[in-house]
Amino acid sequence: MITLVRRIPELKKKIKQARQRRKVIGFVPTMGAFHEGHLSLMRRARRETDFLVISIFVNPLQFDPKEDLQRYPRQLKQDIALAKTAGVDLIFYPTARQMYPTGQETVLDIPSLTDHLCGRSRPTHFPGVLTVVNKLFNLVEPDISYFGQKDYQQALLIKKMAVDLNMNLKIKICPIVRERDGLALSSRNRYLSPSQRRTAPCLYRALCQARQLIKKGERSIPQIIRKMRSIINAEKKTRIDYLNIVNPSTLTDLKRITRRPVLIALAVYVGRTRLIDNILI
Amino acid sequence: MITLVRRIPELKKKIKQARQRRKVIGFVPTMGAFHEGHLSLMRRARRETDFLVISIFVNPLQFDPKEDLQRYPRQLKQDIALAKTAGVDLIFYPTARQMYPTGQETVLDIPSLTDHLCGRSRPTHFPGVLTVVNKLFNLVEPDISYFGQKDYQQALLIKKMAVDLNMNLKIKICPIVRERDGLALSSRNRYLSPSQRRTAPCLYRALCQARQLIKKGERSIPQIIRKMRSIINAEKKTRIDYLNIVNPSTLTDLKRITRRPVLIALAVYVGRTRLIDNILI
């Protein structure tokens, strides 16, 4: 039986009960609109923990006023059905008023890690993510929480926050799930028109090209980036937001490949839809 | 028997044991150098909780480079003896390396509340306080934590952080303990020379004067502040850092007294020692 919880006091009661029964609590925070990527996190959590909580909350704090908060896909009924198939025990799907009743004034940030990659073009995004995830961790009290590698910078930030603040949980980062043609699964893929959808795998093709070049001995990062850019720019209606090869712990740009692993990360607009992808090599 | 714990893994073990025995955990975070103010918090926590944890940690993150981190009084042996008399169960006294092993990069702040009173002259102070208290709360997992009203702004910030981040605990704010002549107890009082010590009660005298004026019907805040200032300025070697009459929830300045309560708060240098005090009227 899956339990649906909308209000914080009820959530706390359920969590307390699970704690008293000495359950190991697994947690997957989401914004809903589930795809196979979300489900892979839930299935892993199901295998590794006793009581599996997920949250569905399209967090206004992590959207810039110009971004797609209103348009972001919502499909609660379908999400509940999918969560059931993944063996979820409890879905917490609060209202914004439950999460931010008196206005949120406490600010969380990790400036050294947010001023790179996605944080550059979305300056309010990660403080909003850190705040909501911190709140959710305090509410759900998970032993293990699961995040997808597709949002690599997000996962890194959350891991760092948990360590820095001595939060009492483990963070596990799980592999990217892809379509057959390599496109990383994302709730935003449904914004793509059929022709944009055919274009979108160019992100992954560029990443594979980089992997190939490095395998063959290429060490110059400007060279690798140039070739990746040309793959993406060859496609119509694409615009590169960023494309960087960085130290995977600090996210700072590298000039040459001298040590493994490196993180290759990119964000590309296909039409008006911003897609991200990355690979650790 | 009092337990002394220096390392985080041992602390976590002890907390887990207390949790499993369903103890209600009380917590008083301190920087040591105990006086009757600290002890009053511990005694209250002793009455209201089952397992009483205190921390002693002179947190470098909340001192500005120009401030008195090095000089701040340290007296561990005496503090342990005093804590015993107050019925403390566990003292956590970590090293800076235990608390900040890899460099602290996560930043916590409440800009709407830090840009007032003490936060104005000590801009890095409250982010440092919020960070260490957030960490300590995650480590100690208290049910109730106790703070003194002398550091009113600190207590307000911590309460707001706990609410905003859904931290699973209650914050209780306890009355200021004073010397017979009205001087609020503070570990920094021991910096005062004998003649400065005779001067120091002027903070409290100014607060009492304000209370008196309001009782008699004075409603103009500039008038009240003028009279308070003249009391302090009449003393040699005093310099007012701030003296404000504010809304006790938002800390914003008031022009007239139209509603109760108001917070009257001040910081005054007596020689080179900065003293603070406040009163809710």
Side-chain angles (χ1 to χ4, degrees), chain A:
Chain A
M1 259 304 287
I2 201 163
T3 307
L4 302 179
V5 174
R6 194 139 180 83
R7 289 170 43 76
I8 286 174
E10 200 192 337
L11 175 68
K12 284 193 167 173
K13 210 175 89 189
K14 298 289 180 190
I15 296 296
K16 199 172 176 184
Q17 286 167 1
R19 278 262 157 259
Q20 284 176 348
R21 283 180 278 133
R22 309 254 170 123
K23 302 273 189 189
V24 174
I25 299 178
F27 180 45
V28 181
T30 80
M31 300 210 298
F34 294 158
H35 51 62
E36 201 50 36
H38 299 104
L39 296 173
S40 72
L41 301 178
M42 295 178 208
R43 287 193 289 257
R44 170 131 177 231
R46 177 71 288 166
R47 288 196 302 275
E48 298 181 351
T49 62
D50 305 323
F51 187 71
L52 172 51
V53 179
I54 68 167
S55 61
I56 300 178
F57 180 57
V58 182
N59 173 34
L61 215 62
Q62 70 190 67
F63 286 81
D64 183 269
K66 291 187 305 289
E67 290 180 346
D68 57 344
L69 173 62
Q70 294 311 321
R71 197 166 68 119
Y72 197 85
R74 286 151 171 100
Q75 51 172 47
L76 187 63
K77 271 195 186 165
Q78 195 180 326
D79 285 347
I80 293 169
L82 288 166
K84 273 185 190 166
T85 70
V88 169
D89 293 306
L90 188 153
I91 302 181
F92 177 52
Y93 66 114
T95 57
R97 193 179 288 250
Q98 281 286 303
M99 291 303 285
Y100 304 120
T102 54
Q104 182 73 24
E105 297 184 47
T106 303
V107 175
L108 269 160
D109 199 4
I110 309 178
S112 57
L113 292 179
T114 49
D115 190 27
H116 299 279
L117 309 180
C118 288
R120 287 247 169 121
S121 28
R122 306 182 73 189
T124 62
H125 176 65
F126 288 120
V129 170
L130 289 172
T131 302
V132 80
V133 171
N134 190 292
K135 287 166 70 77
L136 289 168
F137 283 173
N138 287 332
L139 288 168
V140 175
E141 300 178 45
D143 297 285
I144 314 176
S145 186
Y146 298 82
F147 293 87
Q149 191 197 312
K150 196 189 118 253
D151 298 288
Y152 181 94
Q153 188 174 12
Q154 166 178 286
L156 182 73
L157 280 157
I158 289 167
K159 221 172 168 172
K160 178 67 176 150
M161 170 180 77
V163 170
D164 275 1
L165 298 181
N166 300 95
M167 300 191 91
N168 214 352
L169 80 168
K170 264 193 207 143
I171 306 290
K172 294 200 178 178
I173 301 178
C174 306
I176 297 175
V177 180
R178 300 181 179 281
E179 302 281 4
R180 289 196 165 200
D181 59 9
L183 177 63
L185 296 195
S186 163
S187 304
R188 289 186 171 101
N189 289 351
R190 65 188 75 182
Y191 298 159
L192 300 169
S193 71
S195 78
Q196 290 168 344
R197 175 62 190 79
R198 287 190 293 275
T199 300
C202 69
L203 280 80
Y204 186 59
R205 281 211 315 280
L207 291 169
C208 291
Q209 166 77 353
R211 180 164 53 195
Q212 201 60 22
L213 289 166
I214 293 170
K215 224 180 209 167
K216 285 185 182 161
E218 180 64 79
R219 292 292 172 268
S220 158
I221 282 175
Q223 284 292 354
I224 297 166
I225 288 180
R226 195 169 310 134
K227 288 186 180 156
M228 290 180 73
R229 283 184 164 270
S230 74
I231 288 174
I232 289 160
N233 290 331
E235 301 287 338
K236 278 178 206 158
K237 299 202 175 163
T238 60
R239 182 168 65 77
I240 296 172
D241 180 20
Y242 68 79
L243 195 173
N244 294 75
I245 301 183
V246 299
N247 176 319
S249 311
T250 62
L251 305 184
T252 49
D253 279 322
L254 300 171
K255 279 172 191 162
R256 285 187 64 77
I257 291 170
T258 53
R259 267 195 211 174
R260 305 281 188 89
V262 298
L263 175 73
I264 311 186
L266 74 172
V268 175
Y269 284 92
V270 176
R272 290 174 54 197
T273 303
R274 187 172 172 280
L275 301 177
I276 62 174
D277 203 347
N278 70 78
I279 198 171
L280 276 168
I281 296 175

Side-chain angles (χ1 to χ4, degrees), chain B residues 102-121:
Chain B
T102 53
Q104 183 73 25
E105 298 183 45
T106 303
V107 176
L108 268 160
D109 198 7
I110 310 179
S112 56
L113 293 179
T114 48
D115 190 27
H116 300 279
L117 308 180
C118 288
R120 287 247 169 121
S121 29

Side-chain angles (χ1 to χ4, degrees), chain B residues 50-65:
Chain B
D50 305 323
F51 187 71
L52 172 51
V53 179
I54 68 167
S55 61
I56 300 179
F57 180 58
V58 183
N59 173 34
L61 215 62
Q62 71 190 67
F63 287 81
D64 183 270

